[in-house]
Amino acid sequence: MSVMKFSMKRALTILSLAAMCLPSGALLRTQDKDTAEPVFKAEKYKEAFEKGKKEFAGGEYKDAGKSFKKALSGGKAKADKALVNKWVLACKGSTTVKRVELMRERNLWNEAYDQLLVALQRYGETPLRAPMLKLYAELEGALFLNLENFDYANTRLYSQLYGKSFVKDPRYLANGTQCLRWQNTRDGKPGMLKLTNVPRNWSQFQSIEFWIALQVPATPDAVVMSAGGKKKAGGARVAAPPGQAVRIFLMSKVGVKNTRAWQYVRLPLASFKSQGGATFEAVTDFRIQVQGGKAFNFLIDEIRLRKKNPKQTAGSPRKR
């Protein structure tokens, strides 16, 4: 069964996972639908509708809601009432957008972003779409550092010799651009997807996130290789086995559902276990690994780091 492109990943991610996000730019690629005007049974309902639109544009959402509800009863057909109801729903959602804007002003970017994604599911097809997409673009740009989106088919880094290939078939894509297929090799050796172009200091980030679809399921590990950190007073140095180098890393299991559908993985850096004194202040590369002898076939896209909230500046409002 093929994985079909799922617009905005609606039911798959935001409603099933906590604190998730969409692939960067996915929302912005979606074109706004043509704005259709409802037809009314009488002129008084049309006047109420136009009055509501003016009130909505002026930020008078409570009054606008009353006007739209009056117009709703005069919609000529079911489709016309549905158009008016979008405005009614937008008035209800206006408080959510205001709350997200307030969180952003208070530097609670992550909380604002997560709430905005939920709001987009409910109000994304209403007139609130434009201001929400603007907020989305601002928060997306502020919060995420893209490590790899596989838009460029770098066959030197991702070679078929090691089970990697690029997928352009739109039936399999997460957000309309190509992704990476990674599968086990015939020799049964451990599989590894390695990213070396990463920041050295990850102390400003709170999680690493990516999209994955399991065509043949297996449980991968996420590994952050490190050059080590400051040696604690009285701490003993890690000794390597004879003939081997010291391996210093942080590792976390990647919890994924057994499904071919795209799913979003968010790994808090706090969930990684340190080995050999590894720290996030001396990162050398990031890896996703699968044990040897395991058959697997993954689609992967949009690997990125998510930043922590910026620190509160002097005199800024406190979180309530």
Side-chain angles (χ1 to χ4, degrees), residues 1-174:
M1 181 180 67
S2 62
V3 176
M4 302 299 290
K5 180 182 177 182
F6 198 169
S7 177
M8 292 175 64
K9 303 286 187 182
R10 289 179 182 160
L12 175 62
T13 58
I14 295 173
L15 299 181
S16 62
L17 298 176
M20 295 140 296
C21 65
L22 302 176
S24 59
L27 289 170
L28 301 181
R29 295 188 187 101
T30 305
Q31 299 295 320
D32 288 332
K33 297 179 180 179
D34 294 334
T35 303
E37 287 293 320
V39 178
F40 298 97
K41 298 175 183 177
E43 187 65 23
K44 64 179 182 179
Y45 299 115
K46 183 177 180 181
E47 290 175 355
F49 179 70
E50 294 299 330
K51 181 173 181 288
K53 287 172 67 175
K54 290 180 180 179
E55 291 166 337
F56 187 91
E60 301 170 8
Y61 300 114
K62 186 175 181 179
D63 292 335
K66 293 178 181 179
S67 297
F68 288 133
K69 286 179 181 178
K70 181 179 179 180
L72 183 63
S73 61
K76 191 171 184 179
K78 186 177 180 180
D80 298 308
K81 290 183 178 181
L83 289 173
V84 179
N85 196 52
K86 287 185 177 182
W87 287 90
V88 175
L89 190 60
C91 292
K92 292 180 180 179
S94 62
T95 55
T96 301
V97 176
K98 285 183 177 180
R99 184 163 58 248
V100 170
E101 290 175 337
L102 183 59
M103 287 180 176
R104 181 193 57 181
E105 291 173 5
R106 293 176 174 176
N107 286 342
L108 302 174
W109 293 358
N110 283 282
E111 293 83 351
Y113 183 82
D114 291 337
Q115 285 211 17
L116 180 60
L117 290 178
V118 176
L120 276 164
Q121 300 311 297
R122 187 170 186 182
Y123 308 112
E125 298 301 324
T126 76
L128 282 177
R129 178 184 180 83
M132 286 196 296
L133 287 181
K134 183 180 178 181
L135 275 171
Y136 172 85
E138 292 174 358
L139 291 169
E140 179 89 0
L143 278 177
F144 293 98
L145 176 66
N146 186 62
L147 298 183
E148 179 61 87
N149 57 21
F150 305 107
D151 287 349
Y152 171 64
N154 191 333
T155 54
R156 293 183 63 185
L157 283 178
Y158 310 113
S159 169
Q160 290 188 354
L161 182 64
Y162 300 105
K164 300 176 183 71
S165 58
F166 291 88
V167 178
K168 296 181 180 180
D169 189 332
R171 295 177 300 166
Y172 294 89
L173 303 183

Side-chain angles (χ1 to χ4, degrees), residues 241-314:
Q244 297 183 27
V246 176
R247 289 179 58 81
I248 303 175
F249 59 90
L250 302 104
M251 186 168 70
S252 176
K253 285 286 183 184
V254 179
V256 288
K257 296 180 180 179
N258 187 359
T259 173
R260 290 188 175 189
W262 282 100
Q263 53 189 304
Y264 194 73
V265 174
R266 181 177 180 181
L267 298 175
L269 298 189
S271 70
F272 283 73
K273 305 299 182 183
S274 178
Q275 172 71 34
T279 73
F280 285 111
E281 286 75 36
V283 174
T284 58
D285 61 73
F286 172 71
R287 307 175 183 186
I288 302 174
Q289 299 180 169
V290 180
Q291 295 179 5
K294 299 281 187 180
F296 66 91
N297 187 331
F298 303 154
L299 299 178
I300 296 182
D301 206 358
E302 296 272 356
I303 303 176
R304 58 190 190 169
L305 286 165
R306 181 165 175 162
K307 297 177 183 177
K308 299 176 182 177
N309 288 337
K311 293 182 179 180
Q312 294 281 349
T313 56

